[in-house]
Amino acid sequence: MGKQAEITIHDIAKKLGISASTVSRALNNNPLISKATQAKIKETAAKMGYRPNTMAANLRTRKTNTIGVIVPLINRHFFSSVISGIEDVAYNSGFAVTITQSNDSFEKEEKIAQTLYSNRVDGVIVSIGMETTKFNHLKHFSERNIPLVFFDRVVDEIEAHKISVDDFNGGFKATQHLIEQGAKKIAHIGGPLNLNIYRKRLDGFCAAMKKAGLEVDRQMLLHNSLTRTDGTNAIKKLLKNPQKPDAIFCANDTTALSVIIYLVENGIKIPEDIMVVGFSNEPFSEVVTPSISTIRQPGFEMGQKAAELIIEQIKQKNQPSLFQNIVMPTELIIRQSSFKKKG
Amino acid sequence: MGKQAEITIHDIAKKLGISASTVSRALNNNPLISKATQAKIKETAAKMGYRPNTMAANLRTRKTNTIGVIVPLINRHFFSSVISGIEDVAYNSGFAVTITQSNDSFEKEEKIAQTLYSNRVDGVIVSIGMETTKFNHLKHFSERNIPLVFFDRVVDEIEAHKISVDDFNGGFKATQHLIEQGAKKIAHIGGPLNLNIYRKRLDGFCAAMKKAGLEVDRQMLLHNSLTRTDGTNAIKKLLKNPQKPDAIFCANDTTALSVIIYLVENGIKIPEDIMVVGFSNEPFSEVVTPSISTIRQPGFEMGQKAAELIIEQIKQKNQPSLFQNIVMPTELIIRQSSFKKKG
DNA sequence: TTGTACGCGTTATCAG
DNA sequence: CTGATAACGCGTACAA
């Protein structure tokens, strides 16, 4: 059915009465080729509708010009922003991007890593899942000299470039802000502590409390998976305590949102009775009522940076002697959910 | 640097004193191989840390087990949901997914299509950009027998499977709902009319108006790129008209949001003075105040379906004689921005 | 049930 | 500056 055979460099060579290697060189802008023949070759290649077969070139050069990306969930604003940033930079450098999602499942993360390896991606950018506590599947890449860059949910145990936001400082600033607004009994709804972003946010929280001479009440510290449901359960639990919080620092905006919705439904005033601060600056946080105070996380820029770092590594083949640990600054955005008075 | 050479099927063969083809067959579960040798081969393959080189297999089989995806913008809830759905199904069928974004630029869309072709993706799932009015770069795929599936922003001019929501009916239901709520002078802020999703939403709008015996005022029809800024500009314009609208049907939630924000800021009551309905059911629409009535678009499911269709096509090699035009049902979600009374 | 021989389309090496 | 030749690692007729 008109299924015209693929045109190869040999077809071009034959038509021009030259060799395939000359065609290959011309198409790859090899400087050894005379301008005249190069022009002629490119012209007829275009005329014949030639499209290079990347697979063959890949096999030969042992490169795929492809970057693999592993995220917990594509369909989440922060992660899709990062992906968008990665794609932006990668595309402009001639790299394709293969996206995978672990769904926060360790098993899937392992399989994905295998697949990406089999596909011989030139590098991998990864944010680990909530279940991940072993890292052999990722070490495998660095052992084979395949560049690896972590972002957000980074792994301390592996040497690699890492990009994160200043989670400690974010937690600190959020908490300090609540204190400045008059909070004394501050609760924290955090994520799984095997992820260091959540450890650091908690540490920042504790540091700010300590600095203000406030006590961290064990009853006020909750850890879960930070879903809408988790948030609702957490606020219910907190409200049952004898000591009720006057402010809550949530480790993400999703939890903050569900807390706010629950409080509003139950006639508890925000920020008068309870103040709330989230983390990540999701799109909804600005527009919900009350709008959610939060910590901005520059996803797109993190993705761009991750792509830049990995491409740099890919190009200079051997692993860098010194790995960067890039910590992007966080920004506290004060909105209605925590604004009582000037701090 | 411990850079151990890649292990190939030849290494396994040598170690076991058998031929490479036997190893190849065993690893691919070819039924001709005896269970015993197959088991032995798989075992030593695992022991030696063998990972298949997909590139070589791809070159040989002329398949990549990769699906290319083109979307206008990754970082947008609807699209990232679709991508998530695609990845979900693709992964379970052994396909990798390469994601690209056109940024609604025709030029980039063309280049991306070329790249995907050169990468010999087995199929392409695409939602075209706002600028796209020519389709040669996409026709190229179907001409070469490379399966193509459109979703959401589909193209009438190309024969292929298409998945969209019932935009006409969505526009119709949204408008009819406004009419039932008592609206008489309904405005529409729509998208570029070269995209048929926006044409159909407009058509649905007009049909509902006609059915109710209401006149469509030309002054009340605005078309733009549906960004936050576009929405603000549009509502300003509408309010300057001598005839002011008592309801607005926006072709997406982003525009509806900016309209609502502008109205609230200017003391115009929603829904009492002006009712608003959006389209897509973005995450923020449920939680903003007033919450936004909208049309639900099942992104994840659309992605799953798109992946299923393309994988089916890829597997049965030759193009199907009959292309499906799947229209997913829309659902009207009534929220505060348009709820005055029972319809 | 297994082995042999070849080719997928490209690039790298070596001559010229 | 250009050409011939040999890989890259795998899958598959065909033969045994």
Side-chain angles (χ1 to χ4, degrees):
Chain A
M1 300 305 238
K3 174 141 163 65
Q4 49 203 114
E6 303 281 356
I7 287 146
T8 73
I9 53 173
H10 292 98
D11 299 325
I12 301 174
K14 203 174 293 173
K15 173 159 266 178
L16 290 175
I18 57 179
S19 82
S21 27
T22 303
V23 175
S24 170
R25 283 190 275 250
L27 261 23
N28 289 314
N29 298 314
N30 186 315
L32 295 176
I33 297 291
S34 79
K35 286 289 158 206
T37 53
Q38 178 174 36
K40 202 190 304 171
I41 289 169
K42 285 200 169 180
E43 188 189 346
T44 59
K47 201 173 295 173
M48 294 175 76
Y50 169 75
R51 308 278 180 125
N53 184 328
T54 313
M55 283 188 290
N58 288 348
L59 178 61
R60 188 62 236 249
T61 59
R62 298 156 161 279
K63 286 186 200 298
T64 53
N65 290 312
T66 297
I67 296 168
V69 178
I70 307 177
V71 295
L73 199 57
I74 294 167
N75 176 21
R76 178 95 135 276
H77 184 255
F78 172 68
F79 289 120
S80 67
S81 299
V82 174
I83 294 171
S84 190
I86 292 172
E87 202 278 340
D88 181 53
V89 168
Y91 171 77
N92 288 318
S93 302
F95 283 82
V97 181
T98 291
I99 309 285
T100 61
Q101 58 190 342
S102 66
N103 290 320
D104 274 315
S105 147
F106 179 65
E107 196 194 357
K108 185 166 180 198
E109 192 175 287
E110 274 188 312
K111 283 192 190 161
I112 284 172
Q114 283 222 11
T115 306
L116 291 180
Y117 180 78
S118 286
N119 281 334
R120 297 293 190 276
V121 291
D122 291 340
V124 178
I125 297 173
V126 54
S127 187
I128 64 169
M130 284 204 182
E131 295 180 355
T132 303
T133 54
K134 296 178 176 181
F135 312 106
N136 284 333
H137 59 304
L138 300 175
K139 276 183 190 151
H140 186 260
F141 290 109
S142 31
E143 283 166 8
R144 308 277 166 133
N145 245 336
I146 296 170
L148 191 60
V149 171
F150 290 98
F151 75 90
D152 193 48
R153 301 183 182 177
V154 305
V155 170
D156 291 334
E157 288 84 344
I158 299 180
E159 295 219 328
H161 288 321
K162 287 159 197 172
I163 301 172
S164 50
V165 292
D166 190 344
D167 290 288
F168 176 88
N169 214 19
F172 187 88
K173 282 192 285 194
T175 310
Q176 192 173 45
H177 161 66
L178 289 170
I179 294 169
E180 285 169 358
Q181 294 289 313
K184 301 252 183 279
K185 295 168 295 179
I186 309 179
H188 174 54
I189 303 177
L193 292 182
N194 59 310
L195 295 185
N196 58 14
I197 57 171
Y198 298 122
R199 280 203 307 276
K200 288 182 181 170
R201 290 174 199 179
L202 171 63
D203 290 348
F205 169 80
C206 293
M209 294 291 276
K210 189 170 179 185
K211 188 182 172 197
L214 292 175
E215 193 190 352
V216 175
D217 183 348
R218 283 296 188 125
Q219 302 260 16
M220 296 276 203
L221 294 183
L222 268 49
H223 291 277
N224 53 49
S225 297
L226 301 178
T227 62
R228 282 279 288 264
T229 317
D230 290 325
T232 307
N233 291 337
I235 183 65
K236 281 183 188 167
K237 204 176 218 171
L238 287 173
L239 292 179
K240 276 184 196 146
N241 282 353
Q243 271 281 43
K244 284 178 193 42
D246 54 12
I248 305 173
F249 165 46
C250 302
N252 74 4
D253 280 3
T254 305
T255 325
L257 174 67
S258 57
V259 164
I260 285 175
I261 289 174
Y262 186 85
L263 292 178
V264 167
E265 280 174 3
N266 288 272
I268 298 172
K269 282 187 185 138
I270 308 169
E272 292 79 2
D273 301 335
I274 297 184
M275 293 182 278
V276 179
V277 175
F279 206 109
S280 280
N281 194 26
E282 295 281 340
F284 59 75
S285 302
E286 181 191 355
V287 297
V288 67
T289 304
S291 55
I292 304 176
S293 299
T294 190
I295 301 289
R296 198 178 94 86
Q297 234 177 337
F300 190 84
E301 291 80 358
M302 289 174 76
Q304 289 183 309
K305 191 69 199 171
E308 284 166 16
L309 282 177
I310 210 157
I311 289 170
E312 186 189 311
Q313 267 187 87
I314 291 170
K315 288 194 171 157
Q316 60 187 38
K317 197 48 206 157
N318 44 359
Q319 297 280 4
S321 49
L322 197 61
F323 289 104
Q324 294 188 49
N325 191 6
I326 295 178
V327 179
M328 299 248 186
T330 54
E331 185 195 347
L332 171 66
I333 302 176
I334 300 174
R335 299 203 180 103
Q336 297 166 347
S337 70
S338 71
F339 188 70
K340 282 178 165 175
K341 57 180 183 188
K342 281 196 186 133
Chain B
M1 301 301 247
K3 173 142 165 72
Q4 49 203 113
E6 303 280 357
I7 288 145
T8 73
I9 53 173
H10 292 97
D11 299 324
I12 302 175
K14 204 173 292 173
K15 172 159 263 176
L16 289 175
I18 56 179
S19 82
S21 40
T22 304
V23 176
S24 169
R25 283 190 274 251
L27 262 20
N28 289 316
N29 298 315
N30 186 314
L32 296 175
I33 298 290
S34 78
K35 285 291 158 206
T37 53
Q38 178 173 36
K40 200 190 306 171
I41 288 169
K42 285 200 170 181
E43 188 188 345
T44 58
K47 202 174 294 173
M48 295 175 74
Y50 170 74
R51 308 279 180 120
N53 184 327
T54 313
M55 282 188 291
N58 287 348
L59 178 61
R60 187 61 238 251
T61 60
R62 298 156 162 280
K63 286 185 200 298
T64 53
N65 291 311
T66 297
I67 296 168
V69 177
I70 306 177
V71 295
L73 200 57
I74 294 167
N75 175 21
R76 177 93 137 275
H77 183 256
F78 172 68
F79 289 120
S80 66
S81 300
V82 174
I83 293 171
S84 190
I86 292 172
E87 202 280 341
D88 182 54
V89 169
Y91 171 77
N92 288 318
S93 302
F95 283 82
V97 181
T98 293
I99 308 285
T100 61
Q101 57 191 340
S102 66
N103 290 320
D104 275 316
S105 145
F106 179 66
E107 196 195 358
K108 186 167 177 196
E109 192 174 288
E110 274 189 312
K111 283 190 189 164
I112 284 172
Q114 283 222 10
T115 306
L116 290 179
Y117 180 79
S118 286
N119 282 334
R120 298 293 191 274
V121 292
D122 291 341
V124 178
I125 298 175
V126 54
S127 186
I128 64 169
M130 284 205 180
E131 295 180 355
T132 303
T133 53
K134 295 179 177 181
F135 311 106
N136 284 333
H137 58 306
L138 300 175
K139 276 182 190 151
H140 185 260
F141 290 107
S142 33
E143 284 167 8
R144 307 280 166 132
N145 244 338
I146 296 170
L148 191 60
V149 171
F150 290 97
F151 75 91
D152 193 48
R153 300 183 183 176
V154 306
V155 169
D156 291 333
E157 287 84 345
I158 299 181
E159 296 219 329
H161 288 322
K162 287 162 198 172
I163 301 172
S164 51
V165 293
D166 191 344
D167 291 288
F168 176 88
N169 214 17
F172 187 89
K173 281 192 284 193
T175 310
Q176 191 173 47
H177 161 66
L178 289 170
I179 294 169
E180 284 168 1
Q181 293 290 314
K184 302 252 182 279
K185 294 168 294 179
I186 310 180
H188 174 53
I189 303 177
L193 293 181
N194 59 311
L195 295 185
N196 59 12
I197 57 171
Y198 298 122
R199 280 203 305 277
K200 287 182 181 169
R201 290 174 198 178
L202 171 63
D203 290 348
F205 168 82
C206 293
M209 294 291 277
K210 188 170 180 184
K211 189 183 171 198
L214 292 176
E215 192 190 353
V216 174
D217 182 349
R218 282 298 188 127
Q219 302 262 15
M220 296 275 203
L221 294 183
L222 267 49
H223 291 277
N224 54 48
S225 298
L226 300 176
T227 64
R228 282 281 286 268
T229 317
D230 289 327
T232 307
N233 291 339
I235 182 63
K236 281 184 189 168
K237 203 175 216 169
L238 286 173
L239 292 178
K240 276 185 195 145
N241 282 353
Q243 271 280 42
K244 285 179 193 38
D246 55 12
I248 305 174
F249 165 46
C250 302
N252 74 3
D253 279 4
T254 305
T255 324
L257 175 66
S258 57
V259 164
I260 285 174
I261 289 174
Y262 186 85
L263 293 177
V264 168
E265 279 175 2
N266 287 273
I268 297 171
K269 282 187 184 139
I270 308 169
E272 292 79 2
D273 300 335
I274 297 185
M275 293 184 278
V276 179
V277 175
F279 207 109
S280 280
N281 195 27
E282 296 282 340
F284 61 75
S285 302
E286 180 191 357
V287 296
V288 69
T289 305
S291 56
I292 305 176
S293 299
T294 190
I295 300 290
R296 198 177 94 86
Q297 234 177 337
F300 191 84
E301 290 80 0
M302 288 172 78
Q304 289 183 310
K305 193 69 199 169
E308 284 166 15
L309 281 178
I310 209 156
I311 289 170
E312 185 188 310
Q313 266 189 87
I314 290 170
K315 287 193 170 156
Q316 59 186 38
K317 199 48 206 159
N318 44 1
Q319 297 281 4
S321 49
L322 198 58
F323 288 104
Q324 293 187 49
N325 191 5
I326 295 178
V327 179
M328 300 248 183
T330 54
E331 184 195 346
L332 171 68
I333 302 176
I334 301 174
R335 299 205 180 103
Q336 296 165 348
S337 69
S338 70
F339 188 70
K340 283 178 166 175
K341 57 180 185 189
K342 282 198 186 129

